[in-house]
Amino acid sequence: MNDENRLKQLCSDAPGWVTAILPLVSAAAGGLVLWATWFFYGGLYLSGFTWYNWIQPALMVIGGLLALAAVPLLATRRPAGWDLLWTAIAMIPIILALRLVIVVILAVGHVCSAVLDGSLVDRLGSISPASIAVTVVILAVIGIASLLGKAEETPEDGS
């Protein structure tokens, strides 16, 4: 189904107030994202801005601008407005995934520097037994949850 048919289906299936309020929701979301970006990242200066700190605010600004650009298109019921709004919403998992990649890169960098420094053995020696126990419990809960999830996926009667 092409985009125009999806938008027509949304407009025909949804109550009238939903399609009337969708541009307002898009405008509010875009404005809120731009305000939050300014509020949280406005005080950062470029001298203390490392390479990975600009990714999240840049993607937030792009998402906010896409949501604001979708407003007039949604108001005129054009399919491009729907696509712009969904692209703006899609920025959320992209930001989260990139932040996860950054965390992994930084963790690998810290472990490599600790191995090269020789301080890894000192750090491992200072781990408390309580933190090891908490880690084991968390890993056990995750393992049990994944096993229960796999057990629910398999059919019981084999057909």
Side-chain angles (χ1 to χ4, degrees):
M1 184 181 329
N2 64 16
D3 295 332
E4 188 173 342
N5 289 341
R6 275 191 245 151
L7 184 65
K8 285 181 181 177
Q9 183 181 4
L10 173 73
C11 291
S12 65
D13 290 347
W17 64 270
V18 172
T19 55
I21 202 167
L22 194 57
L24 297 174
V25 170
S26 181
L32 184 65
V33 167
L34 291 176
W35 173 82
T37 305
W38 178 260
F39 182 76
F40 290 116
Y41 298 102
L44 295 176
Y45 299 105
L46 292 178
S47 63
F49 226 43
T50 55
W51 65 269
Y52 52 85
N53 282 341
W54 65 269
I55 294 174
Q56 184 170 351
L59 290 176
M60 287 174 67
V61 167
I62 291 170
L65 292 175
L66 286 173
L68 289 177
V71 172
L73 297 171
L74 287 170
T76 58
R77 308 283 195 272
R78 298 201 181 203
W82 187 249
D83 292 337
L84 282 177
L85 182 61
W86 276 110
T87 305
I89 293 170
M91 288 296 185
I92 297 169
I94 291 171
I95 290 170
L96 294 174
L98 285 174
R99 294 298 291 178
L100 183 61
V101 168
I102 290 169
V103 166
V104 169
I105 290 171
L106 291 177
V108 168
H110 286 298
V111 168
C112 288
S113 69
V115 167
L116 294 176
D117 286 354
S119 62
L120 182 64
V121 177
D122 295 335
R123 290 181 187 178
L124 290 176
S126 65
I127 295 176
S128 69
S131 66
I132 294 173
V134 169
T135 304
V136 168
V137 169
I138 290 172
L139 291 175
V141 167
I142 291 171
I144 291 170
S146 68
L147 290 175
L148 289 176
K150 287 181 183 178
E152 290 177 359
E153 292 176 5
T154 56
E156 302 215 1
D157 59 350
S159 57

